[in-house]
Amino acid sequence: MLDIKSLSIGFSSYSFGLKKHTVLAIRSLDLSVSKKEVLAVVGQSGAGKSLLAHALLGILPRNASLSGDLTFKGKKLTPKDMALLRGREIALIPQSMTYLNPLLKVGVQIARAAELSGVSPKASWKATLEALRRYRLEEKIARRFPFQLSGGMARRILTATATIGKADLILADEPTNGLDQATAGETLGHLRGLADAGKAVLLITHDIEAALSIADRVTVFCGGVTVEEARASDFNGSGKLRHPYSRALWDALPGRGFVKSLPARSPISSSGGCPFIFFCEKSTPLCEGSLPGIKNLNQGCVRCHHA
Amino acid sequence: MLEAKKVAFRYATDGPWLFQGLDIDIKPGEIVGLPGSSGKGKSTLAKTLAGYMKPHQGSIRIDGHPLQQKAFNPVQLLFQHPELAVNPRWKIKKLLAEAAAPSSDLLTELSIDESWMERYPHELSGGELQRVCLARALHPKTQYLLCDEMTSMLDALTQAIIWKAVLGIAKKRNLGLLVISHDSALISSLCRRTLDYFIQPV
């Protein structure tokens, strides 16, 4: 369904006078997701996970530059296609409730999303109420403004706006953020259901446990590069993980090592070499100088000189 | 001690009570957990404890005195959405200095990079911005931190790094912490004591 090869995204800005410089937010990202599959993209916050979603929809700010190969349904994805496909074939569940229009009642916003994705205006209100029911929201919620909702309700509204249409690729950007376990589990279950019904789901999240509960495969993202691609079953504490960053991330879960398992140094680099260099016990001058290539290993892949 | 006695709150005058007759106390140096599912009023309780809203019944006192309106508030609140807690037109430098410029030690402890200072809030990630909010809240006069889903948008590693820094600072300054979270694993690894008011009986 979607295939991304060595994607990079940079932002240019003026530093001093007319001097222009570019900051690379995503250096090298590789992933692919096919239909009936949930691919989780997990990783450090600030690694550019949300940018990935914005890039696929073609809604990056104007000072952003993008390079790499994006293929959607076997065709190269151009900026023109993105504008046509977004909301129709590629839908986004955004990260925060600031994506809702604060001046419009939420029911109207869901209905509008339905109309934009091809539901007839007549049927859109009915579809809206159905969507609300699916997420266990009462009908009166449709007449509320976003500020009258709790964080969890707002999240369910955002999910409803994205899934009401007929999109084949769902980009879920942190759909379970700030939800209690029961509601989060329900949202995730719904995403799994969408995948089982033949859609492709790209689940962008920082919450590994949530991701593992529904994902088929996991792509681990750190400092602007993909460092590992693993099967969800590899995250089981038996040392199957290929990259030291994936292992550190897994060990830092509150239910596991939490603060006790932290490596001594914390900042993560985004210069030329491996993004995990300051953390890694195995780092060598080689890691500092060059970004490792992607290697296939044990039915997954990893980007590490030492793997 | 930050103490709330028999507090009650509701949004509409004829609406349902979010909480009623609720007692909570946080001693300096103590970490109290507040678990519960979404939409139950955990954040509203935090806002009343921090003096943003007045409870309809009951009282909130610090060491026996009511909260002062015209002085630095020793109870600081950290929100679930840091992007909504900052002025979007202020640069990070100005945000951090809103109460008083934070010491460089604090900035290092929270790994706040010098290069962020000239950026605007939307140019930082959620985790980075949350650390900025944390540095802003950790004024020398702060005695209590109410962390409302403070790390729920962060990855496990960043979450552990932030909590390690917060626990270190809290211990050093003898701060009282209230940890609001739906993540029971996080609460049980951080807190000795929890207030189970918002947990629904099954």
Side-chain angles (χ1 to χ4, degrees):
Chain A
M1 180 78 77
L2 176 73
D3 204 18
I4 301 177
K5 284 218 164 60
S6 49
L7 172 76
S8 77
I9 298 172
F11 289 97
S12 62
S13 58
Y14 292 97
S15 54
F16 188 76
L18 289 173
K19 223 174 175 181
K20 219 174 175 181
H21 71 124
T22 308
V23 182
L24 271 186
I26 294 184
R27 281 198 286 161
S28 179
L29 183 143
D30 296 83
L31 61 82
S32 69
V33 56
S34 38
K35 61 180 182 181
K36 295 201 166 198
E37 187 181 47
V38 178
L39 175 75
V41 180
V42 300
Q44 167 215 2
S45 48
K49 298 195 298 286
S50 303
L51 271 182
L52 163 67
H54 291 193
L56 287 172
L57 295 168
I59 52 172
L60 290 172
R62 270 168 65 186
N63 64 339
S65 55
L66 186 147
S67 74
D69 292 328
L70 303 175
T71 323
F72 179 66
K73 287 186 176 171
K75 274 199 309 198
K76 205 165 179 300
L77 198 58
T78 62
K80 212 174 166 185
D81 295 334
M82 289 176 190
L84 281 174
L85 294 175
R86 65 174 172 238
R88 294 180 184 86
E89 294 198 33
I90 306 179
L92 171 74
I93 304 174
Q95 183 172 11
S96 79
M97 59 194 285
T98 51
Y99 285 79
L100 288 171
N101 185 338
L103 301 177
L104 216 54
K105 289 176 183 169
V106 294
V108 180
Q109 300 193 48
I110 301 178
R112 177 86 183 125
E115 283 168 34
L116 286 175
S117 66
V119 179
S120 76
K122 265 187 188 164
S124 68
W125 190 250
K126 214 177 136 205
T128 300
L129 296 180
E130 236 164 64
L132 287 175
R133 258 200 304 281
R134 198 160 54 223
Y135 292 101
R136 288 200 312 167
L137 293 165
E138 291 166 59
E139 207 176 304
K140 67 173 186 209
I141 303 287
R143 289 188 298 274
R144 290 206 191 162
F145 289 100
F147 77 92
Q148 293 170 309
L149 305 176
S150 78
M153 286 188 216
R155 186 80 44 173
R156 279 181 271 170
I157 296 287
L158 288 169
T159 312
T161 51
T163 54
I164 198 167
K166 294 163 187 153
D168 288 324
L169 174 63
I170 310 277
L171 311 173
D173 191 1
E174 305 279 11
T176 59
N177 221 340
L179 295 185
D180 61 272
Q181 266 146 1
T183 326
E186 210 175 286
T187 308
L188 291 170
H190 195 72
L191 287 175
R192 182 70 250 182
L194 288 169
D196 291 340
K199 294 175 196 266
V201 177
L202 193 66
L203 172 64
I204 299 172
T205 183
H206 66 272
D207 187 344
I208 317 172
E209 281 166 314
L212 292 177
S213 65
I214 63 157
D216 301 298
R217 287 183 299 125
V218 180
T219 291
V220 184
F221 203 44
C222 171
V225 301
T226 40
V227 293
E228 174 166 351
E229 191 199 296
R231 286 165 301 171
S233 56
D234 292 345
F235 287 83
N236 58 4
S238 69
K240 278 209 179 134
L241 292 175
R242 300 156 188 85
H243 197 277
Y245 176 70
S246 322
R247 288 196 286 270
L249 199 60
W250 176 241
D251 285 338
L253 286 175
R256 293 174 58 82
F258 198 38
V259 292
K260 276 167 246 132
S261 68
L262 276 189
R265 286 191 284 176
S266 64
I268 289 180
S269 124
S270 57
S271 61
C274 174
F276 195 55
I277 184 164
F278 286 117
F279 255 135
C280 193
E281 288 159 2
K282 289 185 186 165
S283 67
T284 58
L286 178 68
C287 306
E288 207 171 326
S290 70
L291 182 67
I294 289 192
K295 279 186 267 198
N296 285 326
L297 184 72
N298 190 14
Q299 291 175 300
C301 26
V302 63
R303 194 193 284 275
C304 179
H305 286 305
H306 304 289
Chain B
M1 186 162 72
L2 174 63
E3 199 176 16
K5 278 227 167 98
K6 301 258 170 293
V7 285
F9 191 90
R10 59 182 171 189
Y11 280 101
T13 42
D14 54 347
W17 290 101
L18 281 172
F19 45 86
Q20 203 175 11
L22 190 153
D23 291 325
I24 183 171
D25 61 285
I26 307 165
K27 296 176 193 73
E30 193 186 26
I31 306 173
V32 180
L34 185 62
S37 43
S38 58
K40 290 286 175 302
K42 302 192 297 293
S43 303
T44 307
L45 175 65
K47 283 181 193 160
T48 36
L49 285 177
Y52 286 81
M53 293 189 298
K54 281 222 161 75
H56 294 195
Q57 298 165 7
S59 67
I60 291 163
R61 288 167 179 271
I62 298 176
D63 302 327
H65 306 288
L67 283 169
Q68 283 186 326
Q69 288 297 321
K70 286 189 178 167
F72 182 82
N73 189 349
V75 186
Q76 288 291 314
L77 183 54
L78 287 153
F79 293 93
Q80 186 173 351
H81 302 288
E83 69 274 19
L84 301 180
V86 295
N87 186 333
R89 287 168 175 269
W90 283 11
K91 286 182 179 175
I92 302 303
K93 198 175 184 175
K94 194 172 173 189
L95 283 172
L96 279 171
E98 192 170 350
S103 68
S104 57
D105 290 349
L106 182 64
L107 296 184
T108 334
E109 233 166 326
L110 294 169
S111 355
I112 292 174
D113 203 74
E114 187 61 33
S115 67
W116 303 354
M117 293 301 168
E118 294 301 317
R119 295 205 220 164
Y120 286 99
H122 70 268
E123 295 174 315
L124 293 184
S125 77
E128 292 166 343
L129 198 56
Q130 190 62 281
R131 276 180 274 164
V132 169
C133 289
L134 193 54
R136 183 176 66 169
L138 284 168
H139 185 273
K141 285 187 195 158
T142 302
Q143 292 168 16
Y144 300 94
L145 268 188
L146 313 180
C147 310
D148 184 1
E149 299 278 12
M150 178 175 75
T151 52
S152 72
M153 79 298 290
L154 302 178
D155 64 273
L157 198 58
T158 317
Q159 167 168 279
I161 290 168
I162 288 195
W163 277 111
K164 196 180 183 185
V166 172
L167 293 177
I169 294 164
K171 199 166 184 197
K172 208 159 58 189
R173 301 198 193 164
N174 205 26
L175 301 178
L177 256 54
L178 180 72
V179 183
I180 301 179
S181 178
H182 60 272
D183 184 348
S184 46
L186 178 72
I187 294 230
S188 59
S189 54
L190 282 170
C191 316
R192 287 241 182 100
R193 190 158 70 87
T194 59
L195 176 78
D196 295 337
Y197 188 91
F198 295 103
I199 293 185
Q200 277 176 318
V202 182

